[in-house]
Amino acid sequence: MRPCCLLAVMLLTVVSQDKAQDAQLEEIFLQLGISPITATSMAANPCGQSSSIRCNAKGEITELNLVDKQMNGTSPPELGQLKSLEKLHLHKNQLSGEIPGEFGQLQNLQVLCLHKNRLSGRIPPELGQMERLEKLDLSQNELSGEIPRELGQLENLQELYLLRNQLSGEIPGELGQLQSLQALSLFFNQLSGEIPRELGQLENLQVLYLHTNQLSGQIPHEIGQLEKLQELDLDTNQLVGEIPQELGQLKNLRVLSLSENELIGAIPDELGKLQYLEQLLFHTNQLTGLIPPEVSQLERLQRLDLSQNQLSGEISHEIGKLKMLQWLFLQQNQLSGEIPRQLGELEHLEELYLSKNQLIGAIPDELGQLQYLEQLLFHSNQLTAMPYVFNMSSLKVLDISRNHLSGELGRELFPQPLQVLDLSHNKFAGDIWNITDNFCALIPKGGSLKELRLNHNKLTGQIPPCLMQFERLNFLALNNNRFHGALPEIEASQLVILTLHKNALTGVLPKTLYTLAHLGVLTLHENSIGGGLEGLNLSVPCLDNSRFRMWVYWNCKRGSLIRPLLSGDELQQLDANCPRSNGACPRNGLANITLHHNRFSCAVPESLGNSEVSSLAIMGNMLGNGSLLNAPWISREEQQPFLYYSPKAWKSTMPILTGCLMLTTLAALCHQKLRRKLEEASLNLSNISEARVVASNLALMKIAACTFLLASPLLLIFGLSGKYYDCSPPLWQTTAANFSAEGWCAQFGVIVLWCAMQVLFRCILAGIIVPRRSHRKAVLGCKKRIARVTAWIMWICIVTLLSLPSIFFTFAQSIPAQNTWDLSENLLTFFQMTAPVQAVLIDMVLAARISTAFSRLTGVKADRLLMTFRLFSAWLLAALTTIALDENCLSGWKLAWKVCEEGSRENSKFNWKIYNEELLNTAQDICTFTQTWWSDGRCSRAIVGGLTPFLLKKLLTRSTLQPFVLWTMWHFSQLEPASDPREGRHRRLFGVWRRTTRSLIPFQQMALLTTQLDVLMFWSPYVPLLSLGILAAAVTNFLMFDLGIRFYKVELPSDEVNEVAALSASYLYFALGAGSLFQLWHAFSTRMCGRYFLLAVHLAIMGPWANVFLPVGFIKRRFWTSDDMRERELMEMTSMD
């Protein structure tokens, strides 16, 4: 062949090869995800792409560098045909699919970097054929399966990075054959099994990262043979056993991390030989024993973390020798003793965590010298004293909560750059002006302070106005203290969480509170804040958890640095605790507000912002205006009619007020005729028993009238002076339950009137004439005394059973509609509406008969039994039931509330926490009674307000319905034939039925009058209208008595029981004493001005010495008997003698 033809053939061959190579390269680039235009351009002139492709002198590609090109293709198998390729960099793209096994044909390849892609599948074993490979980086992909054992054939491999994949199985022991290996990083996988002992043969290994896997077994002692090892990280596995002493032979070690395993035993002393060690991290294990003193020999140590173990003993003073130390974490151990003063010598210290130990004593003053210290956490110890001054110019976080620190807080304690100050759960006392004055002087106001927790202390005084103006403050916790006074204006516009519950705050909510745009949690329960509610602007709370730590070190501020390394639960945990720092504030969530157990009243707003709200607002308040509360922000569980001013309360009180008004009007119109009728009836008396009943009736009317005159100013004061609730049922506003004047004048006026009424009652009781018995009182033996006591116990049980209507009245108005006892709302309403009538009917029909029968059976006086019955039925059992069930007392109604049913959905609904701080606990804060129920005035108010409708309804029933029923029965009755005078002569229904006029006999009349006088003395100081009701009931009873004697010709019995029947002075003295105690309880629990004067008056008039200076004779002449009646009484007593 001619030379020219041969040359032409050779040229054609070269051209065809070039075209084939160009087509091959273009196909590779297209598979990688490069655009067609760019792929064609790069393939046409590959060696001209200096930034991405490098070639040798022969034009062969030796380096392909396509880093961060946003390629989203796959790894082309054709890359395996680039025989001269030495470096292949495809990392930081979005390549998917599997790694081709053809890569194993790249015999000249030295560097293979495919990390930070989306490669999946298994690592091809063919990669073990790349004999010259020095670096293999497949990290941060989605590779799965086991690590190929063939990788142990890569004799020249120096760096192996397989981290952050989904690799499983055991670490192959063949990796111990990689004698040139310097870095082995397999962390963040799912590797299991034991750490191969063969890794101890990697004599050139400098970095060994196996953390965050599922490795088990013990740490191989052979690891101690890696003399060149500088970093050893085995944390977050399931390693067990003790720490090998051989680790002390790693003389070049700079980082030793064995945290988050299950290691036990003591820390080896040999670790003190690691002179180049900078980080010693053993947190979250089960290590025991002392902290070795040899640790103080690690002069280059910068980070020491032994937290969350079971280490005990004291912190060695030798720790002060670690001059380079920056982080010292010893929290959550069992360390005891005092904090060593030598910690103040660690001049480079930045973070010091000693929380959750058993440390005692004082915080050393020397810590104030640490000028680089940024975080100081000593919470949950038993520390008792603080340094006089904290002069740390860099301190940002100070948490010394949950200790036993006490005393007052000084201004010099807290440096200006503080961002988080937590002094909660201690015993600090005094006011907080010293703290706030220090921060108020800064610009901006409050400085950098974002979080201030002073809750659960004994702090007093008023809340400083300046505190509520801190510009950067977003978490303020002042709850569970003793702050008093009104809330100042709140201008801290960045506030997200404000907790003020369980103090003694008063006044009304400041207007500026309604303008806060970021407020998401507001707790005000168990204060005395009053007034109405306006539209708050609550939003879903978005705030970082200042105590959050990821892997012990990383807080929310540093969280952005490790966020790319997190996934799954850890990423969710970071976002949940650091929503503000990560820009992950929840859009759909709940704002929280608690208002219960205050003095809020009147109508409620329809909404509290644009977010959904979880609230507790009704209990212990008087919200509402007589209509249903159906605002969507009020929880369904709390919408119980008896908890607020509901239509039920309105309907219950209006008939009573109407009845009282009608009786007053009727008395005003007919008072002249009524007076003449009373005078006539009092003159026409046929016997001593009748005279005594009439005299007692007249005396009761005089006492009730005089009491009404004294109570009328009370009615004006209660109705026109300061109100405990701005809006309440009309009947409430006429009682002491709603009286709460701020000035001393009105309060002292009430006290003076109460004293006058008590003096009047004491004089009246001293003037009661008690007829003498015809026989001496027998002395009872021991057995008879026991029998008498047993009889009284039995009688109390019977009385309690018969007085169920009184109990049902309070019970029915205190049980939720949706209750755990399955009682229907209609049944509860029936009990509440009919209980007063039932009580009167039982008193009319059964009381006297059962008392008489029980008296015959046991020998106990019938009149005493009847008085006891009427005492229980009239108000005592209702009062006790109120104490037991009412929300403002012992809150027994919650036993039937589904919220307090353990395990129910409603039960868990009100367990509120803001990160580590518990705001509301269903069992402790809702379903148990308030410990101050007896001392904060709420219970006594509840008793007065709750019993007022019941007492007035009963009196109105006695004044209206009972006379009508009796008259009807008498009208259809016939007078029985004359018989034994001792039994009297009565009328029988239709001539054959039971006697219908037994209520006229003297012992029943005296028992009734005694009970009414008891009610008058006990309750009229709190319910002035009650004296009017007693007066009406007494007048009605007198007229019915006269009607029965004069018109229906009833003859009273003359037996001994009725002959000597009279008002019981001893019973009334007991009632007056009980009333005095209740009066003092109410006065002292509501902090009334003049309460000590009231106490002095009660002590003066209740003793037997009171008759010396009290006007007993004058009162006796005015209220009890005329001269001729006194003569008749004397004649009777003389004849008995």
Side-chain angles (χ1 to χ4, degrees):
M1 183 179 295
R2 294 180 181 182
C4 61
C5 292
L6 182 61
L7 180 61
V9 170
M10 293 176 63
L11 289 174
L12 289 172
T13 302
V14 170
V15 170
S16 63
Q17 289 178 351
D18 289 343
K19 289 183 177 180
Q21 184 178 359
D22 292 348
Q24 182 186 33
L25 285 175
E26 185 177 357
E27 181 63 23
I28 290 174
F29 294 146
L30 289 173
Q31 288 189 43
L32 287 171
I34 298 175
S35 64
I37 297 176
T38 305
T40 302
S41 173
M42 292 176 63
N45 185 19
C47 295
Q49 308 291 330
S50 58
S51 61
S52 302
I53 303 175
R54 292 184 181 181
C55 302
N56 57 18
K58 298 179 181 180
E60 299 171 332
I61 297 176
T62 58
E63 182 176 348
L64 186 59
N65 190 342
L66 299 175
V67 178
D68 201 10
K69 298 296 184 180
Q70 300 181 356
M71 299 185 299
N72 56 3
T74 60
S75 300
E78 290 79 3
L79 281 174
Q81 300 178 14
L82 303 178
K83 305 297 183 181
S84 300
L85 195 62
E86 297 177 356
K87 296 181 180 180
L88 179 57
H89 296 282
L90 301 179
H91 53 283
K92 294 185 180 180
N93 285 290
Q94 300 177 21
L95 300 177
S96 59
E98 298 185 356
I99 300 173
E102 287 80 358
F103 281 9
Q105 302 172 12
L106 301 173
Q107 297 298 314
N108 293 309
L109 196 65
Q110 300 175 14
V111 177
L112 177 58
C113 293
L114 303 177
H115 57 283
K116 292 188 178 180
N117 280 290
R118 298 178 179 175
L119 300 173
S120 58
R122 296 176 177 270
I123 300 174
E126 291 84 355
L127 297 185
Q129 301 172 10
M130 298 183 290
E131 298 178 354
R132 299 183 61 186
L133 194 64
E134 296 178 358
K135 180 178 180 180
L136 176 59
D137 192 347
L138 307 179
S139 59
Q140 301 188 52
N141 281 288
E142 300 173 7
L143 300 173
S144 58
E146 298 183 354
I147 299 174
R149 298 181 182 275
E150 288 77 3
L151 296 184
Q153 302 172 11
L154 303 174
E155 296 180 355
N156 294 306
L157 193 64
Q158 298 177 13
E159 301 175 51
L160 177 57
Y161 302 108
L162 303 179
L163 57 123
R164 298 196 65 82
N165 280 288
Q166 300 173 17
L167 301 174
S168 58
E170 298 183 355
I171 300 174
E174 285 78 1
L175 296 184
Q177 302 172 13
L178 304 176
Q179 296 299 314
S180 301
L181 196 64
Q182 298 178 11
L184 176 59
S185 186
L186 307 178
F187 63 90
F188 274 109
N189 279 290
Q190 301 171 18
L191 300 173
S192 58
E194 298 185 357
I195 300 174
R197 298 180 182 274
E198 290 82 356
L199 296 185
Q201 303 171 13
L202 302 175
E203 56 186 22
N204 290 306
L205 195 65
Q206 299 178 16
V207 176
L208 178 57
Y209 287 162
L210 303 179
H211 65 86
T212 320
N213 279 288
Q214 300 173 16
L215 300 174
S216 57
Q218 298 186 359
I219 301 174
H221 295 270
E222 288 78 4
I223 297 293
Q225 302 172 11
L226 304 175
E227 295 182 356
K228 295 183 180 180
L229 195 63
Q230 296 180 14
E231 299 183 20
L232 175 60
D233 193 343
L234 306 178
D235 68 30
T236 318
N237 280 289
Q238 300 170 15
L239 301 174
V240 297
E242 298 185 353
I243 300 174
Q245 300 178 0
E246 288 78 3
L247 296 184
Q249 302 172 11
L250 304 175
K251 297 183 179 180
N252 293 303
L253 201 63
R254 292 186 294 107
V255 176
L256 176 57
S257 179
L258 306 178
S259 303
E260 297 191 49
N261 282 288
E262 300 175 14
L263 301 174
I264 60 173
I267 300 174
D269 299 341
E270 287 77 6
L271 298 184
K273 301 175 182 179
L274 304 177
Q275 310 226 344
Y276 294 98
L277 196 65
E278 297 176 358
Q279 298 184 31
L280 180 60
L281 313 175
F282 288 172
H283 72 83
T284 318
N285 279 287
Q286 301 175 26
L287 301 175
T288 56
L290 306 176
I291 300 176
E294 288 78 7
V295 172
S296 61
Q297 301 173 12
L298 304 175
E299 297 180 355
R300 300 191 180 186
L301 197 64
Q302 299 177 14
R303 298 183 180 181
L304 175 59
D305 186 357
L306 306 178
S307 62
Q308 300 183 43
N309 281 286
Q310 301 174 21
L311 299 173
S312 58
E314 298 184 358
I315 302 174
S316 173
H317 295 178
E318 301 293 322
I319 203 168
K321 297 179 180 180
L322 303 175
K323 303 299 183 181
M324 303 298 294
L325 199 64
Q326 298 175 4
W327 291 3
L328 176 57
F329 299 147
L330 301 178
Q331 73 269 22
Q332 285 186 256
N333 279 288
Q334 300 173 15
L335 300 174
S336 58
E338 297 186 352
I339 301 174
R341 300 181 180 276
Q342 287 74 10
L343 291 179
E345 301 173 7
L346 305 177
E347 55 187 24
H348 296 286
L349 199 62
E350 297 177 3
E351 299 189 11
L352 176 58
Y353 297 176
L354 301 181
S355 53
K356 293 187 179 181
N357 280 290
Q358 301 171 16
L359 300 173
I360 61 173
I363 300 175
D365 294 336
E366 288 77 3
L367 296 184
Q369 305 169 8
L370 302 176
Q371 298 303 310
Y372 296 101
L373 191 66
E374 295 184 1
Q375 299 194 34
L376 177 62
L377 274 63
F378 285 176
H379 67 85
S380 304
N381 279 287
Q382 302 173 24
L383 303 173
T384 54
M386 293 181 61
Y388 179 73
V389 60
F390 271 143
N391 193 27
M392 293 168 279
S393 57
S394 302
L395 192 63
K396 296 179 180 178
V397 178
L398 174 60
D399 187 349
I400 51 177
S401 61
R402 299 182 186 275
N403 280 285
H404 299 162
L405 301 169
S406 59
E408 296 188 0
L409 299 170
R411 179 180 301 184
E412 300 82 2
L413 282 174
F414 309 108
Q416 295 181 2
L418 270 178
Q419 297 179 6
V420 177
L421 175 58
D422 192 346
L423 308 179
S424 62
H425 297 272
N426 280 291
K427 301 177 182 179
F428 290 118
D431 57 49
I432 59 173
W433 290 82
N434 283 333
I435 300 178
T436 55
D437 287 348
N438 189 26
F439 288 98
C440 288
L442 302 177
I443 299 177
K445 191 167 289 187
S448 302
L449 194 64
K450 297 180 179 180
E451 184 173 323
L452 177 60
R453 301 192 193 190
L454 303 176
N455 50 294
H456 289 88
N457 279 289
K458 299 179 180 179
L459 299 171
T460 58
Q462 296 186 344
I463 297 176
C466 176
L467 175 60
M468 295 299 183
Q469 301 173 8
F470 287 4
E471 296 184 17
R472 297 179 180 175
L473 191 65
N474 47 46
F475 191 150
L476 177 59
L478 301 178
N479 54 284
N480 292 84
N481 279 291
R482 301 172 183 174
F483 292 113
H484 59 81
L487 277 173
E489 294 295 329
I490 303 175
E491 300 176 5
S493 59
Q494 298 300 314
L495 263 181
V496 177
I497 299 175
L498 177 60
T499 63
L500 300 170
H501 57 275
K502 295 187 178 181
N503 279 289
L505 299 174
T506 56
V508 297
L509 295 179
K511 296 294 184 182
T512 48
L513 179 65
Y514 301 104
T515 65
L516 299 180
H518 303 287
L519 191 63
V521 176
L522 176 63
T523 61
L524 298 172
H525 59 275
E526 296 191 35
N527 281 288
S528 295
I529 303 172
L533 291 175
E534 298 180 16
L536 290 166
N537 188 22
L538 298 181
S539 59
V540 180
C542 181
L543 193 65
D544 291 343
N545 181 4
S546 62
R547 290 185 177 179
F548 172 72
R549 297 293 184 274
M550 176 69 73
W551 306 337
V552 178
Y553 324 109
W554 305 98
N555 56 18
C556 289
K557 187 177 181 181
R558 302 169 182 155
S560 58
L561 301 176
I562 61 170
R563 185 179 177 82
L565 304 177
L566 302 177
S567 62
D569 293 341
E570 290 181 328
L571 186 59
Q572 292 180 5
Q573 188 179 3
L574 180 66
D575 288 340
N577 284 276
C578 309
R580 176 170 287 191
S581 296
N582 296 331
C585 293
R587 295 182 180 179
N588 298 322
L590 291 174
N592 300 101
I593 183 171
T594 62
L595 304 172
H596 57 286
H597 287 182
N598 274 285
R599 293 169 52 185
F600 293 114
S601 58
C602 302
V604 300
E606 284 299 316
S607 66
L608 296 180
N610 298 323
S611 303
E612 292 188 24
V613 177
S614 180
S615 70
L616 277 177
I618 299 181
M619 293 184 297
N621 287 307
M622 190 63 76
L623 293 175
N625 56 359
S627 58
L628 287 175
L629 283 185
N630 51 11
W633 63 271
I634 296 178
S635 63
R636 181 180 59 85
E637 292 80 7
E638 214 185 3
Q639 292 181 2
Q640 308 295 339
F642 63 88
L643 289 177
Y644 67 95
Y645 181 12
S646 63
K648 193 173 182 180
W650 171 266
K651 294 176 182 177
S652 176
T653 59
M654 288 311 297
I656 298 175
L657 291 176
T658 303
C660 292
L661 182 61
M662 291 178 62
L663 286 177
T664 305
T665 304
L666 184 62
L669 294 176
C670 306
H671 73 281
Q672 293 293 344
K673 294 182 179 179
L674 186 62
R675 183 176 181 180
R676 286 196 298 270
K677 182 63 178 176
L678 294 176
E679 290 177 352
E680 292 175 4
S682 62
L683 294 176
N684 300 321
L685 303 175
S686 59
N687 56 53
I688 296 298
S689 297
E690 183 182 340
R692 190 177 295 116
V693 171
V694 170
S696 299
N697 244 312
L698 290 172
L700 178 59
M701 285 185 274
K702 294 177 184 177
I703 296 169
C706 186
T707 302
F708 181 71
L709 292 177
L710 285 175
S712 297
L714 287 176
L715 190 62
L716 294 176
I717 294 175
F718 293 159
L720 302 178
S721 188
K723 298 180 180 180
Y724 191 74
Y725 297 117
D726 290 346
C727 299
S728 60
L731 192 59
W732 260 71
Q733 298 180 25
T734 65
T735 68
N738 202 42
F739 172 68
S740 180
E742 295 184 0
W744 67 271
C745 185
Q747 294 187 36
F748 194 75
V750 171
I751 293 293
V752 170
L753 289 171
W754 282 1
C755 291
M757 295 173 75
Q758 291 299 104
V759 170
L760 172 65
F761 296 146
R762 176 64 175 83
C763 293
I764 288 172
L765 295 187
I768 293 179
I769 298 176
V770 181
R772 295 184 181 180
R773 303 287 178 177
S774 59
H775 59 274
R776 294 180 178 272
K777 189 174 181 179
V779 179
L780 299 178
C782 181
K783 292 184 179 181
K784 290 186 177 181
R785 288 180 180 273
I786 295 175
R788 184 62 58 88
V789 171
T790 304
W792 274 110
I793 294 174
M794 292 174 60
W795 179 245
I796 290 175
C797 295
I798 295 172
V799 165
T800 303
L801 184 63
L802 293 176
S803 302
L804 285 179
S806 301
I807 299 175
F808 285 157
F809 180 83
T810 306
F811 180 83
Q813 67 180 6
S814 303
I815 298 301
Q818 295 80 29
N819 55 78
T820 58
W821 298 335
D822 296 327
L823 297 176
S824 68
E825 186 175 4
N826 293 333
L827 181 62
L828 296 174
T829 303
F830 171 78
F831 280 144
Q832 185 181 6
M833 298 299 295
T834 62
V837 178
Q838 292 179 37
V840 172
L841 291 177
I842 290 176
D843 182 50
M844 290 172 54
V845 178
L846 297 177
R849 290 185 174 89
I850 295 178
S851 300
T852 304
F854 195 81
S855 175
R856 292 170 181 170
L857 181 65
T858 61
V860 182
K861 297 173 184 176
D863 57 343
R864 299 298 187 266
L865 295 174
L866 187 56
M867 291 176 194
T868 306
F869 172 84
R870 284 178 170 155
L871 168 65
F872 275 66
S873 177
W875 61 266
L876 182 58
L877 286 179
L880 294 177
T881 307
T882 300
I883 294 175
L885 296 180
D886 194 271
E887 170 61 26
N888 292 299
C889 297
L890 294 179
S891 307
W893 70 274
K894 294 174 181 175
L895 295 174
W897 199 24
K898 290 187 177 181
V899 171
C900 296
E901 184 179 13
E902 189 174 352
S904 65
R905 180 189 61 83
E906 295 87 350
N907 183 264
S908 59
K909 180 178 179 179
F910 297 102
N911 288 322
W912 295 354
K913 272 190 176 182
I914 298 297
Y915 300 128
N916 62 318
E917 190 68 46
E918 185 176 69
L919 297 183
L920 198 65
N921 183 285
T922 304
Q924 298 177 6
D925 298 329
I926 300 178
C927 296
T928 57
F929 62 88
T930 307
Q931 294 182 353
T932 59
W933 66 271
W934 59 274
S935 61
D936 58 8
R938 296 178 185 273
C939 188
S940 59
R941 293 180 188 276
I943 295 172
V944 173
L947 263 65
T948 296
F950 180 69
L951 293 172
L952 289 176
K953 280 182 180 179
K954 285 189 65 175
L955 290 174
L956 289 175
T957 302
R958 284 195 178 277
S959 304
T960 56
L961 180 61
Q962 183 180 5
F964 176 76
V965 172
L966 289 176
W967 176 82
T968 303
M969 293 173 61
W970 293 352
H971 185 72
F972 293 101
S973 300
Q974 297 178 9
L975 191 65
E976 64 184 3
S979 60
D980 188 353
R982 290 178 300 177
E983 295 184 3
R985 192 179 183 190
H986 294 275
R987 301 182 69 86
R988 292 182 179 271
L989 188 60
F990 303 119
V992 294
W993 198 248
R994 292 182 179 274
R995 294 173 175 175
T996 58
T997 54
R998 291 185 62 86
S999 60
L1000 301 179
I1001 63 177
F1003 101 87
Q1004 286 204 43
Q1005 284 287 308
M1006 290 303 182
L1008 175 63
L1009 297 176
T1010 301
T1011 304
Q1012 291 183 346
L1013 185 55
D1014 158 40
V1015 172
L1016 180 69
M1017 292 190 303
F1018 196 102
W1019 293 106
S1020 59
Y1022 321 105
V1023 189
L1025 287 177
L1026 201 64
S1027 56
L1028 184 63
I1030 293 290
L1031 178 60
V1035 171
T1036 304
N1037 182 70
F1038 182 89
L1039 294 178
M1040 293 301 297
F1041 181 82
D1042 182 68
L1043 181 67
I1045 299 296
R1046 303 284 171 262
F1047 185 79
Y1048 290 107
K1049 307 302 181 181
V1050 175
E1051 297 178 5
L1052 299 180
S1054 60
D1055 59 341
E1056 183 181 355
V1057 173
N1058 290 286
E1059 284 289 325
V1060 298
L1063 298 176
S1064 176
S1066 58
Y1067 173 88
L1068 292 173
Y1069 270 117
F1070 176 79
L1072 183 63
S1076 297
L1077 292 177
F1078 186 84
Q1079 204 171 100
L1080 291 171
W1081 175 34
H1082 182 78
F1084 276 86
S1085 63
T1086 57
R1087 312 292 195 276
M1088 292 182 66
C1089 179
R1091 56 188 179 274
Y1092 290 100
F1093 174 73
L1094 180 68
L1095 174 62
V1097 170
H1098 278 292
L1099 292 176
I1101 67 174
M1102 292 308 296
W1105 53 82
N1107 294 340
V1108 176
F1109 56 87
L1110 290 178
V1112 175
F1114 175 79
I1115 297 297
K1116 186 175 181 179
R1117 289 190 298 272
R1118 292 291 180 182
F1119 286 93
W1120 287 117
T1121 59
S1122 58
D1123 293 338
D1124 58 336
M1125 276 301 303
R1126 285 202 301 275
E1127 291 177 3
R1128 292 187 183 183
E1129 291 287 347
L1130 291 175
M1131 290 174 59
E1132 178 193 16
M1133 288 185 278
T1134 303
S1135 64
M1136 285 184 178
D1137 290 338

